[in-house]
Amino acid sequence: MKKTKLATVWLDGCSGCHMSLLDIDEALIPLAGKIDLVYGPLVDAQEFPKGVDVTVVEGAVSSRDDLEKIRLIRSRSKVVVAMGDCAVTSNVPAMRNNIPVKKMLETIYGAIPIDGVPPLLRHAVPLHDVVKVDLHVPGCPPSAKAIALVLGELLEGRTPDLAAKVRFG
């Protein structure tokens, strides 16, 4: 049986969605036999691979690096899942949207940092503002049960019915 190539990505967020993914606990065992985890914070891969079946993305698009990465991910993924409120609505990262970037950086750092800090976009935005998203999974973070349902259904080639399974916040 061909395994599904699965990638997970963490953009501007808190990693709570990845923690919730790990909270699937014993349900990870049957999933593990059906996937090839090709990219993510728990994988050594440095470059996002081509030919990914499903990519689960946590976090908002807040920097030029995020923007380039999500565009690359979309071009190399059959299915892109916006996982969690930051990816779906831009949630907490968008709290900075009413403050001009220059003023915010000067207030926080005393000057505008240059080395090692990717240039910020004017606003933090949800994934669907910049790429096509195939599935939105709200929650802060989504529950482990909701994530298990999403992955299980996607691995079986079905679109999960999330109506009664997820909520914002």
Side-chain angles (χ1 to χ4, degrees):
M1 182 174 127
K2 182 181 173 246
K3 290 186 175 186
T4 299
K5 290 183 182 180
L6 176 72
T8 68
V9 177
W10 174 12
L11 298 179
D12 187 3
C14 69
S15 80
C17 295
H18 275 83
M19 297 306 295
S20 204
L21 170 65
L22 294 175
D23 283 344
I24 293 173
D25 298 330
E26 66 275 356
L28 284 169
I29 296 167
L31 290 177
K34 296 178 181 181
I35 66 166
D36 182 11
L37 188 59
V38 296
Y39 187 87
L42 305 173
V43 178
D44 222 9
Q46 299 298 310
E47 184 179 331
F48 194 85
K50 294 179 181 175
V52 176
D53 296 306
V54 177
T55 302
V56 175
V57 183
E58 164 183 0
V61 179
S62 295
S63 69
R64 284 193 202 146
D65 287 1
D66 293 344
L67 183 59
E68 290 171 14
K69 183 178 249 183
I70 194 61
R71 286 178 174 161
L72 178 68
I73 289 164
R74 177 70 267 181
S75 73
R76 294 184 176 184
S77 303
K78 292 177 186 170
V79 175
V80 172
V81 178
M83 182 70 66
D85 289 349
C86 292
V88 173
T89 68
S90 68
N91 200 23
V92 172
M95 292 173 73
R96 71 163 175 89
N97 286 353
N98 290 329
I99 306 167
V101 171
K102 182 179 177 186
K103 180 179 179 184
M104 178 186 61
L105 291 173
E106 287 173 344
T107 300
I108 294 168
Y109 295 104
I112 297 178
I114 297 169
D115 294 331
V117 178
L120 293 178
L121 300 175
R122 185 172 178 199
H123 293 110
V125 297
L127 303 184
H128 66 264
D129 275 11
V130 293
V131 296
K132 178 184 177 278
V133 172
D134 301 293
L135 183 64
H136 293 84
V137 184
C140 187
S143 70
K145 283 184 179 181
I147 294 172
L149 170 72
V150 166
L151 292 178
E153 290 292 287
L154 289 173
L155 293 177
E156 293 300 323
R158 298 185 295 258
T159 300
D161 179 10
L162 297 173
K165 306 283 192 244
V166 295
R167 62 179 175 72
F168 285 95

